[in-house]
Amino acid sequence: AAPVAHTRPNSIIMAATASTTELEAQVQALSTAVGRTLTRERPLRVTCVGAGAWGSVFVAKLKQQYEATGLVQTTVWRRGGRVVSKEAAARLVDIINGNERVLRRLRDSCSVLKYIEARLGDRELTADEILRDGFCLNLLDEPLCPLSVVTNLEEAVFSADVLINALPSTETRNVFSRIGKVLAASRKTQEAMPLVISLSKGVETLAEPYPHLTTPTLVIAEEANVPLDRVFYFGGPNIAREIWQGEYATARLCGAATTGEALAEFLRSPSLIVWHHEDVITHEVLGGLKNVYALGMGIVGAATHDSATSKAVYFSNAAAEMVFIAQLLAITERDLLHGPLIADMYVTLLKGRNAWFGHQLGSGALRAADGDYVPGKGLIQGVSAVHAFHALFSDERLEIESEAKGTVRPVAMLPTLSALQRFLSHDGEIDDAVAEFMAAMKDQAAVDPGRTLKLLAPPSFHLLPACATEARQ
């Protein structure tokens, strides 16, 4: 049967509560911060690099909010040529038939027939083609508004005033290296560089000149030569589908105050409240860390038929390790447990794609050996984050003084992280992998993790690059 369209308020309705005059003022304020003179002939140009579920929803909400002003032009870049499967095409036909508003829109633009032909196997659809009609390949059953999509990266970013990084963290370096060459050719001064908002949650581990982490915002600044005070991180307890449906939500835009306040105001809508915060690295690193432990929550859920008690025990262990890791990164416990950070961890463990992926692995529906890209879901960033954090804390140059184990490498204090690394590397029967993981979750020493995960002295090493540490101070 065709799906029935949801009845919850869509963001187009929510955005209508802000007057055009108010929206124009927000655009003008951001244009001033960017250093642009704004006209309807030369609107503010916002380009989203990447077209996963969150990136597509993010730019679609901006388009709907500001379209009536004529002062904002939105564009999405995604790689061309990705063919939509016949199964996905069949699903799209059902979705279109079940949503009268979408059906009328596609009929009026003479676009319905191509979906029927693809359903019958008479032609192919591509991911960029359906995104122009408002269908994101990773969020098919939640039609968005039509979007302007280009597949040429140079065309997409050449004159952009605001760039949105919606790429997986593992792809950010490569793509922004290319973007850096385009920006160098099109910008005369550093002040003319675009503002960059990174939605990406993940980390890289670098071994030289000392073991440390780097993050997407730092990679963007390095590869694209964009000043750090023009690069921001956006994060919060947000599920893309629910944000598009108009669910009330909060988030933080983290970065320099000079332009950050105007940018946060620009991103804010009646249904998505955006606060400005200056600490980028804390939010960005912990945004990647919670994806690590979300995988384990899914495995535990699959192994125990979603036992609330078992999941609560796991959450307790995971939270203790996250607090310990935060100490190693010189992040205070107050920062970790404050506002959107703890809420982001909660929603990710509850309903995020990493928890979903862990559940699929734990049930045997998917195998880790098949890779971390899932059609219809996109890249599961928790997998690379597990390997990155495990590699960092296993480095022989890092030693800590612990109350429970004396002088050890940090990884020795992190049984859940170690168990996740072993689980993802297991090449045998899934039942054996799950049993080993669940055994590792059980306390063998009968000692509260709050006591075992205790440092006798602050770490003697720094796990973030100097520029990140300076930016936090």
Side-chain angles (χ1 to χ4, degrees):
V4 177
H6 65 74
T7 57
R8 279 186 271 185
N10 184 266
S11 54
I12 191 169
I13 300 171
M14 304 294 287
T17 59
S19 72
T20 302
T21 302
E22 291 172 330
L23 295 174
E24 287 178 352
Q26 290 171 195
V27 180
Q28 292 286 358
L30 180 58
S31 297
T32 300
V34 171
R36 288 287 187 189
T37 301
L38 194 64
T39 66
R40 283 179 171 76
E41 290 70 36
R42 175 49 173 96
L44 187 76
R45 292 172 179 163
V46 179
T47 295
C48 185
V49 181
W54 185 213
S56 298
V57 165
F58 195 89
V59 74
K61 282 184 67 66
L62 288 177
K63 178 184 177 181
Q64 284 197 332
Q65 178 152 317
Y66 290 103
E67 190 169 33
T69 69
L71 296 175
V72 178
Q73 179 186 86
T74 56
T75 302
V76 179
W77 172 81
R78 71 154 295 137
R79 294 180 179 88
R82 175 75 181 276
V83 175
V84 177
S85 68
K86 186 177 178 181
E87 293 75 19
R91 189 175 166 198
L92 279 169
V93 170
D94 288 341
I95 292 164
I96 292 166
N97 286 333
N99 190 317
E100 185 175 315
R101 178 176 57 84
V102 173
L103 181 59
R104 287 182 181 277
R105 171 164 61 79
L106 294 177
R107 181 203 62 184
D108 294 345
S109 63
C110 302
S111 300
V112 175
L113 184 58
K114 66 185 178 185
Y115 290 94
I116 297 173
E117 290 176 340
R119 166 69 179 84
L120 296 173
D122 294 339
R123 64 157 288 178
E124 289 182 339
L125 291 170
T126 60
D128 55 286
E129 184 180 12
I130 66 172
L131 188 58
R132 293 186 182 94
D133 290 331
F135 296 108
C136 172
L137 193 59
N138 293 343
L139 199 66
L140 283 182
D141 56 354
E142 197 63 53
L144 311 176
C145 60
L147 294 170
S148 172
V149 182
V150 297
T151 56
N152 182 292
L153 186 61
E154 180 175 347
E155 177 188 350
V157 306
F158 189 83
S159 60
D161 301 308
V162 179
L163 290 176
I164 301 165
N165 173 35
L167 298 164
S169 59
T170 50
E171 296 183 25
T172 296
R173 184 177 294 279
N174 177 54
V175 174
F176 270 86
S177 175
R178 294 167 57 195
I179 289 174
K181 294 180 176 65
V182 178
L183 296 180
S186 63
R187 315 292 163 120
K188 295 181 180 179
T189 66
Q190 289 288 297
E191 290 72 25
M193 284 291 183
L195 301 183
V196 183
I197 304 166
S198 181
L199 310 180
S200 182
K201 298 175 179 177
V203 295
E204 287 183 24
T205 295
L206 301 177
E208 301 299 337
Y210 56 91
H212 65 281
L213 294 174
T214 191
T215 64
T217 59
L218 297 174
V219 168
I220 289 166
E222 174 190 347
E223 296 292 340
N225 198 30
V226 177
L228 264 178
D229 64 1
R230 296 179 80 83
V231 184
F232 298 82
Y233 169 72
F234 184 99
N238 307 316
I239 300 295
R241 180 191 312 278
E242 295 175 357
I243 297 301
W244 178 250
Q245 291 174 351
E247 297 276 358
Y248 180 83
T250 60
R252 276 180 175 165
L253 177 77
C254 303
T258 49
T259 51
E261 294 287 355
L263 187 55
E265 185 69 25
F266 174 76
L267 299 175
R268 187 176 301 134
S269 74
S271 59
L272 178 59
I273 305 304
V274 181
W275 301 312
H276 175 255
H277 197 283
E278 293 195 33
D279 188 350
V280 179
I281 298 303
T282 293
H283 289 76
E284 200 171 16
V285 170
L286 294 178
L289 185 60
K290 49 90 177 174
N291 287 336
V292 168
Y293 290 98
L295 289 172
M297 181 65 84
I299 297 168
V300 169
T304 64
H305 304 288
D306 288 313
S307 160
T309 298
S310 296
K311 291 165 78 171
V313 169
Y314 174 81
F315 181 83
S316 175
N317 294 339
E321 288 195 14
M322 288 185 71
V323 169
F324 181 74
I325 290 172
Q327 290 178 320
L328 298 179
L329 296 169
I331 296 170
T332 68
E333 190 170 329
R334 179 186 177 280
D335 288 337
L336 174 63
L337 300 177
H338 190 270
L341 280 175
I342 189 67
D344 195 8
M345 179 172 68
Y346 168 77
V347 77
T348 302
L349 269 63
L350 179 71
K351 199 175 180 180
R353 78 174 72 179
N354 289 279
W356 173 88
F357 186 68
H359 202 285
Q360 298 297 300
L361 294 178
S363 65
L366 295 174
R367 294 180 60 86
D370 295 332
D372 53 4
Y373 181 84
V374 181
K377 288 287 185 179
L379 189 73
I380 308 300
Q381 300 206 59
V383 176
S384 63
V386 167
H387 297 316
F389 279 107
H390 189 269
L392 176 69
F393 294 130
S394 299
D395 194 294
E396 62 184 8
R397 289 169 289 179
L398 302 183
E399 289 187 342
I400 56 173
E401 295 292 331
S402 72
E403 184 175 289
K405 296 188 177 183
T407 303
V408 293
R409 296 178 194 172
V411 73
M413 306 294 293
L414 301 167
T416 303
L417 177 63
S418 299
L420 283 166
Q421 173 73 11
R422 290 194 300 272
F423 183 91
L424 293 174
S425 305
H426 197 282
D427 58 1
E429 294 296 324
I430 187 61
D431 289 346
D432 295 337
V434 171
E436 181 183 334
F437 181 83
M438 294 302 294
M441 295 303 98
K442 295 178 180 178
D443 178 21
Q444 305 297 327
V447 180
D448 187 332
R451 293 184 59 189
T452 59
L453 294 173
K454 190 172 181 179
L455 294 172
L456 291 177
S460 59
F461 46 77
H462 298 284
L463 298 179
L464 297 172
C467 62
T469 304
E470 292 167 3
R472 289 172 60 192
Q473 292 175 346

